[in-house]
Amino acid sequence: MEVHRNLSMDLIPSLQGTARVYDNEQLMLRGLEAKEIKCGDVVIIRYEGPTGGPGLPEMLTPTSAIMGAGLGDCVALLTDGRFSGGSHGFCIGHITPEAQVGGPIALVKNGDPIRIDARPDVRTIDLLIDDDEWERRRAEWSPPPLRASQGTLFKYIQCVATASEGCVTDEVGGADEIAKAAPKTPAIAELEQKIAELEDKLAEQGVLSN
């Protein structure tokens, strides 16, 4: 996880707010235009990580839009996407495990209370829901369809490492961490989906029977 330290964090090193969740960058920008985002919100932009994006896309536009809307000093932004040196405001990126593999950011819902302490000696993010609710959400979660299902991007998704490992594609690592975060990897979920579709077609043709 990357904490993008700046003047906002120096002035307000910790905060507690309400989750405002968006499953991609474009939805967040439309939500901001519609004035859905208010002071005190913790904006979540997810499914923008190495496999979800795919490619860990830059989140400069959302941070710039938040600043332009005059919310830079009272809204936090959390994402499994990435930031560059041009971002401003209270923003935390490169969150791993990412949403696409079932990381905690995938389980956040609108209205959830979130507490962030960005002080250098603390650096914690807490989703303030009880354990039973957390486990229920984990059990109900399933990965959305991959944004690329063929070609170079699909091959990239199959072999890219986590953001904390540098998103490299020529090393094997991080499997244990991902397995603990999600019941299925994107590749397995994609394969199961294709098998289910094939079985449905065969059943319609009368090839499969009980």
Side-chain angles (χ1 to χ4, degrees):
M1 179 180 68
E2 173 183 331
V3 178
H4 212 77
R5 292 207 63 79
N6 48 48
L7 181 60
S8 296
M9 287 185 174
D10 291 336
L11 296 176
I12 310 173
S14 61
L15 61 84
Q16 181 168 325
T18 303
R20 180 75 61 179
V21 183
Y22 300 96
D23 285 348
N24 59 56
E25 176 185 358
Q26 291 72 29
L27 288 175
M28 176 269 171
L29 293 173
R30 289 202 289 268
L32 185 63
E33 291 177 358
K35 301 188 183 304
E36 295 174 355
I37 299 172
K38 312 292 184 184
C39 246
D41 283 347
V42 177
V43 176
I44 308 286
I45 304 178
R46 61 190 180 189
Y47 298 105
E48 298 287 9
T51 64
L56 201 69
E58 166 72 57
M59 293 291 114
L60 175 60
T61 300
T63 58
S64 299
I66 288 173
M67 296 297 292
L71 299 171
D73 60 348
C74 62
V75 166
L77 172 60
L78 307 183
T79 181
D80 50 9
R82 67 180 174 88
F83 295 120
S84 70
S87 296
H88 296 279
F90 199 116
C91 47
I92 299 173
H94 296 192
I95 290 177
T96 58
E98 62 175 297
Q100 187 69 42
V101 301
I105 192 172
L107 307 182
V108 183
K109 293 186 176 183
N110 280 326
D112 285 346
I114 297 178
R115 182 175 58 224
I116 304 170
D117 193 330
R119 290 175 294 177
D121 58 334
V122 182
R123 298 204 302 178
T124 57
I125 304 173
D126 296 307
L127 180 62
L128 305 179
I129 61 176
D130 61 52
D131 292 342
D132 289 341
E133 174 65 12
W134 178 263
E135 292 304 323
R136 184 183 66 80
R137 294 185 189 183
R138 282 179 63 90
E140 293 177 351
W141 181 86
S142 61
L146 296 172
R147 293 176 183 169
S149 58
Q150 59 184 356
T152 302
L153 280 178
F154 182 66
K155 293 178 180 178
Y156 169 86
I157 290 170
Q158 305 311 302
C159 62
V160 67
T162 66
S164 62
E165 296 169 310
C167 299
V168 295
T169 58
D170 58 352
E171 297 177 7
V172 177
D176 290 341
E177 180 183 4
I178 292 175
K180 291 177 182 178
K184 301 173 184 176
T185 65
I188 292 175
E190 184 79 2
L191 179 60
E192 290 181 348
Q193 181 181 355
K194 290 181 178 179
I195 291 173
E197 291 172 354
L198 178 59
E199 289 178 343
D200 289 342
K201 290 181 180 179
L202 293 174
E204 290 175 359
Q205 298 170 4
V207 176
L208 293 181
S209 62
N210 297 327

